Amino acid sequence: MVDVPSLPQSQRLLLAELSGVARRYGTGDRRDAPREVAVAAVRAVTDDPVLLGVQAGVALVDPHGIHGPIVVLLEAAGADMTVAEQHAAEVRERLRL
Protein backbone atom coordinates (compact mmCIF):
# COMPACT_ATOMS: atom_id res chain seq x y z
CA MET A 1 0.00 0.00 0.00
CA VAL A 2 1.20 3.47 -0.82
CA ASP A 3 0.82 6.16 1.83
CA VAL A 4 1.15 9.61 0.31
CA PRO A 5 -0.89 11.91 2.56
CA SER A 6 0.04 14.97 0.46
CA LEU A 7 -2.02 13.66 -2.46
CA PRO A 8 -5.79 14.09 -2.71
CA GLN A 9 -7.86 11.07 -1.73
CA SER A 10 -8.87 10.44 -5.36
CA GLN A 11 -5.21 10.04 -6.34
CA ARG A 12 -4.49 7.84 -3.31
CA LEU A 13 -7.34 5.56 -4.39
CA LEU A 14 -5.85 5.38 -7.90
CA LEU A 15 -2.49 4.45 -6.35
CA ALA A 16 -4.14 1.63 -4.41
CA GLU A 17 -5.72 0.27 -7.58
CA LEU A 18 -2.47 0.78 -9.50
CA SER A 19 -0.57 -1.14 -6.84
CA GLY A 20 -2.76 -4.20 -7.35
CA VAL A 21 -2.65 -4.10 -11.15
CA ALA A 22 1.12 -3.54 -11.24
CA ARG A 23 1.68 -6.40 -8.81
CA ARG A 24 -0.54 -8.81 -10.78
CA TYR A 25 1.15 -8.03 -14.10
CA GLY A 26 4.64 -7.47 -12.72
CA THR A 27 5.13 -10.40 -10.37
CA GLY A 28 1.74 -12.04 -9.87
CA ASP A 29 -0.53 -14.41 -11.70
CA ARG A 30 -0.55 -12.33 -14.90
CA ARG A 31 3.21 -11.79 -15.11
CA ASP A 32 3.39 -13.87 -18.29
CA ALA A 33 0.93 -11.65 -20.15
CA PRO A 34 2.33 -9.91 -23.24
CA ARG A 35 4.05 -6.62 -22.33
CA GLU A 36 1.56 -4.54 -24.34
CA VAL A 37 -1.34 -6.12 -22.44
CA ALA A 38 0.33 -5.40 -19.11
CA VAL A 39 1.12 -1.80 -20.05
CA ALA A 40 -2.47 -1.29 -21.27
CA ALA A 41 -3.80 -2.66 -17.96
CA VAL A 42 -1.64 -0.22 -16.02
CA ARG A 43 -2.62 2.70 -18.24
CA ALA A 44 -6.29 1.77 -17.84
CA VAL A 45 -5.86 2.74 -14.19
CA THR A 46 -3.83 5.88 -14.89
CA ASP A 47 -1.40 7.27 -17.40
CA ASP A 48 -0.28 10.03 -15.05
CA PRO A 49 3.55 9.87 -15.07
CA VAL A 50 3.73 11.24 -11.51
CA LEU A 51 1.38 8.62 -10.04
CA LEU A 52 3.14 5.90 -12.01
CA GLY A 53 6.43 7.27 -10.67
CA VAL A 54 5.21 7.24 -7.07
CA GLN A 55 4.21 3.59 -7.43
CA ALA A 56 7.55 2.76 -9.08
CA GLY A 57 9.28 4.46 -6.16
CA VAL A 58 7.56 2.11 -3.74
CA ALA A 59 8.74 -0.87 -5.77
CA LEU A 60 12.29 0.52 -5.86
CA VAL A 61 12.48 0.33 -2.06
CA ASP A 62 12.24 -3.48 -2.12
CA PRO A 63 15.54 -4.61 -0.56
CA HIS A 64 15.47 -8.01 -2.29
CA GLY A 65 14.83 -6.81 -5.83
CA ILE A 66 11.73 -8.97 -6.15
CA HIS A 67 9.73 -6.00 -7.40
CA GLY A 68 12.12 -5.19 -10.23
CA PRO A 69 9.61 -6.37 -12.85
CA ILE A 70 7.04 -3.96 -11.41
CA VAL A 71 9.47 -1.06 -11.82
CA VAL A 72 10.15 -2.10 -15.43
CA LEU A 73 6.40 -2.35 -16.14
CA LEU A 74 5.63 1.05 -14.62
CA GLU A 75 8.51 2.65 -16.50
CA ALA A 76 7.20 1.12 -19.75
CA ALA A 77 3.79 2.57 -18.92
CA GLY A 78 5.30 6.05 -18.65
CA ALA A 79 6.38 6.46 -15.03
CA ASP A 80 8.44 9.55 -14.30
CA MET A 81 11.55 7.86 -12.95
CA THR A 82 12.80 11.07 -11.35
CA VAL A 83 9.63 11.04 -9.25
CA ALA A 84 10.23 7.33 -8.58
CA GLU A 85 13.73 7.97 -7.23
CA GLN A 86 12.52 10.88 -5.10
CA HIS A 87 9.63 8.89 -3.68
CA ALA A 88 11.88 5.89 -2.99
CA ALA A 89 14.20 8.17 -1.02
CA GLU A 90 11.24 9.51 1.00
CA VAL A 91 10.00 5.99 1.75
CA ARG A 92 13.46 4.85 2.81
CA GLU A 93 13.72 7.86 5.12
CA ARG A 94 10.32 7.09 6.70
CA LEU A 95 11.32 3.48 7.23
CA ARG A 96 14.41 4.57 9.13
CA LEU A 97 12.32 6.38 11.73
Side-chain angles (χ1 to χ4, degrees):
M1 182 69 169
V2 179
D3 181 28
V4 187
S6 63
L7 292 177
Q9 183 178 6
S10 61
Q11 288 183 328
R12 291 193 315 262
L13 290 172
L14 277 176
L15 283 173
E17 184 178 356
L18 179 60
S19 174
V21 170
R23 189 176 326 110
R24 276 192 298 282
Y25 282 94
T27 59
D29 63 336
R30 297 184 187 164
R31 68 183 170 276
D32 294 326
R35 178 59 51 177
E36 61 274 4
V37 170
V39 168
V42 167
R43 288 185 180 156
V45 176
T46 185
D47 61 358
D48 182 327
V50 172
L51 293 179
L52 294 167
V54 168
Q55 189 62 49
V58 171
L60 284 171
V61 176
D62 169 28
H64 304 292
I66 296 169
H67 294 123
I70 294 173
V71 175
V72 171
L73 171 58
L74 292 168
E75 187 172 17
D80 182 327
M81 295 310 288
T82 300
V83 170
E85 292 292 340
Q86 291 169 346
H87 189 68
E90 291 172 20
V91 171
R92 285 184 191 105
E93 184 61 32
R94 276 190 266 160
L95 291 174
R96 271 187 269 242
L97 300 176

